[in-house]
Amino acid sequence: MVRAAVLPSVGSPLEITDIELPDPGPGQVRVRLAAAGVCHSDLSLSNGTMRVPVPAVLGHEGAGTVVSVGEGVTHVAPGDGVILNWAPSCGSCHHCGIGEVWLCANALAGAASVYARAADGTELHPGLNVAAFAEETVVAANCVLPVPAGIPLTDAALLGCAVLTGYGAVHHSARVQEGESVVVFGVGGVGLATIQSARIAGAGTVIAVDVSAEKESLARRAGATEYVIVSDTTAKEIRKLTGGQGADVAIECVGRAATIRTAWDSTRRGGRTTVVGIGGKDQQVTFNALELFHWGRTLSGCVYGNSDPARDLPVLADHIRAGRLDLGGLVTDRIGLEGIPSAFADMLAGKGGRALVVF
């Protein structure tokens, strides 16, 4: 029996309770969690913005130590530090075949499985495959990747989502070039990783935009050169900060129609707007045909930073070891499992960066 945060049904409060985990079967790995990040996607799963089979144990950004492995698992062994990969590629679908592993058609197939039971025998599903909001979890072998050498295990949890997403949004989706201006909407965990990544890419002006004045110091420590508090004139302020043209690149990390529209309006003619935030179906964004022609901007979605963890984790590790990427700079709260509901409330209120569950 291990402690876990269980979502009994969509829209219900999380329940911190004991669950029963089986031993790992063939092709499975049991992991003792060191830490798990509380991501906005977990909130979206809990409130129904994204669909998940329930009851479920949420949490998809985590790292820990291998406890045991099932038959056929050879790439990790008991005692190894591992990062959880919530979206493993199958290697055989169309998108995997053309190298777009972040769009794998079967990446979330495991989320529908039953992986554990509550104390009363209720079947539980692993939210986004890995069920990281628990002291221990059992996952498919392709859901774990070795922690790169020299990376503290607790910090490594952030590599599982926030950092891969933010770094990938800058380097793979928007493809920021040295000297370009970048505006980042939303200074949460992903937004802070995006700001750091823009600095690493050599961006000239890096503008952070958020509803909270309290996040300015976080943004500037991450590498923001300018800070704008959201208002009706946000796009005008950004154009003023970029020579009247607008930013070369706008990256939206919120997932709201109004913010996406403002990000588009803040981008220069011929610039790139990348949407990272996950919004609901009710968030409708509108454009007219003439402006699409006139502005010549590129608008693109971005899934998991368009990242391939096997390719990108070694690159991120080099940045961390060299001091260019500060994982600790993303974390504003270190909590236990009982603190997750408060972390959800803080996200809704626009407070803080990443909350990290430390076991």
Side-chain angles (χ1 to χ4, degrees), residues 164 167-175 305-308 311-312:
L164 275 170
Y167 181 86
V170 169
H171 291 267
H172 303 321
S173 181
R175 299 182 180 180
N306 294 6
S307 293
D308 178 350
R311 174 198 64 196
D312 292 329

Side-chain angles (χ1 to χ4, degrees), residues 264 267 270-274 295-300:
W264 167 269
T267 311
R272 290 103 68 201
T273 305
T274 292
W295 288 103
R297 296 166 175 148
T298 300
L299 176 67
S300 62

Side-chain angles (χ1 to χ4, degrees), residues 125-179:
H125 302 280
L128 291 185
N129 286 327
V130 297
F133 288 167
E135 294 170 331
E136 296 186 13
T137 188
V138 174
V139 300
N142 63 353
C143 286
V144 297
L145 295 163
V147 173
I151 310 301
L153 196 55
T154 301
D155 289 347
L158 300 165
L159 295 173
C161 183
V163 178
L164 275 170
T165 299
Y167 181 86
V170 169
H171 291 267
H172 303 321
S173 181
R175 299 182 180 180
V176 173
Q177 301 300 306
E178 186 173 355

Side-chain angles (χ1 to χ4, degrees), residues 29-158:
V29 178
R30 182 164 179 155
V31 178
R32 180 179 300 113
L33 272 297
V38 183
C39 180
H40 205 282
S41 296
D42 298 308
L43 177 60
S44 295
L45 290 168
S46 72
N47 64 24
T49 300
M50 297 169 62
R51 300 292 295 275
V52 62
V54 290
V57 175
L58 301 184
H60 63 280
E61 180 184 85
T65 303
V66 175
V67 175
S68 55
V69 300
E71 181 182 351
V73 177
T74 58
H75 72 296
V76 294
D80 288 350
V82 292
I83 296 167
L84 298 179
N85 177 14
W86 62 270
S89 58
C90 70
S92 58
C93 72
H94 171 74
H95 288 288
C96 287
I98 61 175
E100 297 177 347
V101 298
W102 55 91
L103 298 178
C104 174
N106 302 306
L108 296 180
S113 65
V114 173
Y115 94 113
R117 293 181 183 274
D120 63 1
T122 300
E123 295 180 336
L124 299 174
H125 302 280
L128 291 185
N129 286 327
V130 297
F133 288 167
E135 294 170 331
E136 296 186 13
T137 188
V138 174
V139 300
N142 63 353
C143 286
V144 297
L145 295 163
V147 173
I151 310 301
L153 196 55
T154 301
D155 289 347
L158 300 165

Side-chain angles (χ1 to χ4, degrees), residues 185 230 252 254-265 283-285:
F185 289 81
V230 172
E252 199 272 0
V254 180
R256 292 179 183 165
T259 315
I260 294 169
R261 180 68 221 200
T262 303
W264 167 269
D265 290 337
Q283 295 291 310
Q284 299 291 316
V285 188

